[in-house]
Amino acid sequence: MSRRDEASLPPGPLTRRALLQTGALGGAALALAGPLRAAADPPAAAPAVTAADTSFPLAELSIAELQAGMAAGRWTARSLAEQYLARIEALDRQGPALHAVLETNPEALAIADALDAERQAGKTRGPLHGIPILVKDNLATADRMQTTAGSLALAGVPVPRDAFVAARLRAAGAVLLGKTNLSEWANFRSTHSSSGWSGRGGQCRNPYVLDRSPSGSSSGSGAAAAANFAAAAIGTETDGSIVSPSAACALVGIKPTVGLLSRAGIVPISHTQDTPGPMARTVADAALLLGAMTGVDERDAVTRASRASRGKAVADYAQGLDASGLKGVRLGVPRRRYFGYSPAADSLIEAALAALKEQGAVIVDPAEVATAADLDAPELLVLLYEFKADLNRYLAELGPASPIHTLADAIAWNAAHRKEEMPLFGQEIFEQAEAKGPLTSKEYQEALARCRRLARTEGIDATLARHKLDALVMPTQGPTWLIDPVNGDSVSGGSSTPAAVAGYPSVTVPAGDFAGLPVGLSFVGPAWSEARLIRYAYAFEQATKHRRPPRFLVTAEIAAP
């Protein structure tokens, strides 16, 4: 690390939270000359057509409702795709200019036509047949779309094959409608990043309040799904990158157990924490997508190793949806660590706890995760080591058309294209990772063992066992922060880290809003407990109905004193 970069680091101990300023990690139609404008221009007022406008016939419709409409002949897969594409043109390219979608699929309508022909011939592939879905731009698609992780360095570089989960979605009949913007390199490039900004796409905006962050790194997936640009979207998470933008955009986000879904073909950060997952407007839709993407993949060692454990999981997560699914469930509240940083979030989550009780849940309060505060430093070390190793492995598979094949190449490319790639923030995290040794290093091995012990054995597992709990429940994060291209993100707190480091599942569901800004409630459980968490989230969702479409407010609705 250079002295200049060293001086830019936050003061205090070098921990993951300090290095990333608590920003969530990840995990062509927009002008490539637009990043600075997209980051700095004031947001536009809402156009005549908004997500709440009933003139948009698909507004807030579920996958089941879209499927029923196609079965009844009201729509076709092509007409659904056309309507969503028109909405993207009206609201992402123009109007509030969310910058949530990097590009739309030039083959989308042809794919939809083929699926319509299958339906006319009496064949449907299942509940996703003909359903338009957006995917994050770190999921490889071997088609006419690009896979860049938001970086101009990978623009125009073909990938050897579809990511496993993209192939699963295609096989299920989904129409891959386009690629969503993201925090570049899944928010693992700089200590001063602005979530939702990429060199390729500029600054993504939150559709609820345009001057607020969509959170990251699956920012475009969150903003697009919330704004009804598709039936749902796919994101990825390393620590917070599904649940955080889902909470910020009033969505249901599922971060599954690491190993449930393959990571093959996804631009990586960490093989011990990365996972894709669904981001949708309802629990039922998220459950459908999770089931469609689930499967053992020979190209992902973690999914191969999970064969025995995943027997506890189910493929059809929608089958267990039950509005009375909270009765008798014991939910623990880790209050000391995850309350107190946001009065607005505290108020909404207290109301959520009351609603859980009304639905028959037993609330154990407090039920602290004693080791949560000790995870930051070892997690950061693990991520730095694994990012270098895993990214080098991914880039090595790219052909001669790629200008980069290693992390060192990416660092040099960014430096040579500083005006386009680093106009707002640098690449300190890249440089920190490049300085690390191999995965055989003692420092890495000790940090990984510490992470697993603190997050699993002495963390979530111990808390669940001590209080005889079925799951933990807590605020996902507070209302999202102002976009600040000068200083970067200013997150006040969040609860994603224990589940992320443990590799355990978490589900966030809308819990209300403050000043027009959504807040989410997270359910966290042990490995392979997705079906239970989805059931709890569904029962809460059905009892509270907190999901509201965005209104594209220019700034937050703060009442005068």
Side-chain angles (χ1 to χ4, degrees):
M1 177 189 296
S2 70
R3 188 166 296 277
R4 177 182 176 187
D5 288 330
E6 193 172 68
S8 72
L9 290 173
L14 187 59
T15 65
R16 171 198 163 273
R17 193 166 300 276
L19 185 59
L20 303 181
Q21 295 186 326
T22 69
L25 301 172
L30 294 180
L32 296 183
L36 275 173
R37 289 199 306 275
D41 286 353
V49 179
T50 72
D53 193 334
T54 56
S55 66
F56 180 57
L58 309 183
E60 296 295 293
L61 292 186
S62 69
I63 289 173
E65 290 170 322
L66 295 173
Q67 201 61 251
M70 285 190 286
R74 182 179 178 187
W75 301 302
T76 61
R78 183 186 181 94
S79 70
L80 292 181
E82 286 174 335
Q83 290 178 78
Y84 283 127
L85 289 170
R87 187 166 179 81
I88 291 169
E89 180 64 31
L91 301 183
D92 200 62
R93 310 289 191 262
Q94 304 173 55
L98 294 184
H99 289 255
V101 179
L102 286 174
E103 63 180 317
T104 54
N105 187 351
E107 299 172 309
L109 297 182
I111 293 168
D113 286 341
L115 291 165
D116 284 333
E118 288 184 16
R119 187 184 294 274
Q120 290 173 356
K123 175 187 175 183
T124 56
R125 305 186 189 188
L128 291 182
H129 189 102
I131 300 296
I133 301 295
L134 289 161
V135 298
K136 187 176 177 180
D137 184 43
N138 60 350
L139 275 72
T141 56
D143 53 17
R144 291 169 61 190
M145 292 189 291
Q146 302 183 63
T147 303
T148 69
S151 172
L152 295 171
L154 293 179
V157 176
V159 295
R161 62 188 70 84
D162 273 350
F164 180 84
V165 293
R168 294 279 291 181
L169 289 170
R170 291 190 203 272
V175 177
L176 300 189
L177 194 65
K179 291 289 189 76
T180 58
N181 201 0
L182 70 160
S183 307
E184 186 177 303
W185 294 108
N187 222 9
F188 206 69
R189 199 192 84 186
S190 172
T191 61
H192 294 82
S193 66
S194 174
S195 284
W197 187 93
S198 71
R200 186 178 170 210
Q203 179 65 58
C204 178
R205 301 189 185 280
N206 190 307
Y208 286 86
V209 181
L210 298 174
D211 65 359
R212 296 278 169 161
S213 175
S215 193
S217 69
S218 303
S219 45
S221 294
N228 287 267
F229 289 172
I234 307 303
T236 66
E237 175 160 329
T238 305
D239 187 342
S241 288
I242 288 173
V243 297
S244 179
S246 293
C249 294
L251 296 175
V252 176
I254 301 177
K255 197 287 288 187
T257 304
V258 172
L260 183 67
L261 305 185
S262 170
R263 288 81 50 79
I266 299 176
V267 183
I269 291 177
S270 160
H271 61 270
T272 60
Q273 292 186 205
D274 288 351
T275 180
M279 302 169 70
R281 293 182 293 271
T282 69
V283 175
D285 286 356
L288 279 174
L289 283 166
L290 181 65
M293 293 187 290
T294 298
V296 173
D297 178 12
E298 293 303 317
R299 295 183 59 236
D300 186 330
V302 180
T303 68
R304 293 200 310 269
S306 73
R307 278 190 175 96
S309 299
R310 71 168 56 238
K312 304 173 185 176
V314 296
D316 185 0
Y317 293 96
Q319 70 182 4
L321 299 181
D322 180 1
S324 61
L326 283 165
K327 290 181 179 177
V329 174
R330 291 178 60 83
L331 301 174
V333 182
R335 182 170 292 275
R336 184 176 65 245
R337 175 85 170 164
Y338 301 117
F339 287 72
Y341 59 82
S342 168
D346 287 352
S347 177
L348 291 169
I349 301 306
E350 294 296 350
L353 295 177
L356 293 169
K357 288 181 182 178
E358 290 175 2
Q359 295 304 306
V362 177
I363 304 298
V364 180
D365 186 3
E368 307 297 351
V369 181
T371 57
D374 301 322
L375 288 170
D376 292 342
E379 181 194 16
L380 172 59
L381 279 174
V382 168
L383 297 185
L384 291 172
Y385 274 97
E386 292 187 356
F387 180 65
K388 179 181 180 180
D390 296 349
L391 186 64
N392 283 346
R393 187 177 302 111
Y394 175 89
L395 294 175
E397 289 194 355
L398 300 181
S402 177
I404 60 172
H405 290 93
T406 65
L407 174 58
D409 290 346
I411 292 170
W413 195 96
N414 288 341
H417 300 81
R418 184 174 297 274
K419 181 179 178 181
E420 299 84 6
E421 271 296 323
M422 299 194 293
L424 303 177
F425 47 86
Q427 55 180 344
E428 310 88 74
I429 296 175
F430 269 25
E431 292 166 354
Q432 284 283 308
E434 177 59 24
K436 294 301 181 186
L439 298 184
T440 53
S441 301
K442 181 180 179 182
E443 182 183 48
Y444 166 73
Q445 295 290 337
E446 290 179 347
L448 180 59
R450 182 172 174 80
C451 279
R452 289 175 169 169
R453 174 172 57 82
L454 293 175
R456 297 177 181 176
T457 312
E458 298 177 10
I460 293 173
D461 295 344
T463 303
L464 295 175
R466 184 182 310 118
H467 299 284
K468 298 181 174 57
L469 301 173
D470 295 296
L472 300 173
V473 64
M474 66 207 84
T476 308
Q477 63 183 31
T480 190
W481 55 96
L482 288 164
I483 294 172
D484 185 348
V486 175
N487 298 305
D489 291 341
S490 56
V491 191
S492 58
S495 61
S496 63
T497 296
V501 176
Y504 288 176
S506 62
V507 178
T508 185
V509 63
D513 71 275
F514 176 80
L517 296 164
V519 170
L521 176 72
S522 280
F523 295 87
V524 172
W528 316 111
S529 63
E530 283 84 358
R532 296 196 334 240
L533 300 183
I534 289 168
R535 187 169 70 249
Y536 307 156
Y538 179 78
F540 176 79
E541 172 195 62
Q542 295 303 300
T544 58
K545 301 285 188 179
H546 283 305
R547 163 71 192 172
R548 298 288 184 274
R551 291 179 290 148
F552 304 105
L553 300 174
V554 173
T555 193
E557 291 184 320
I558 305 297

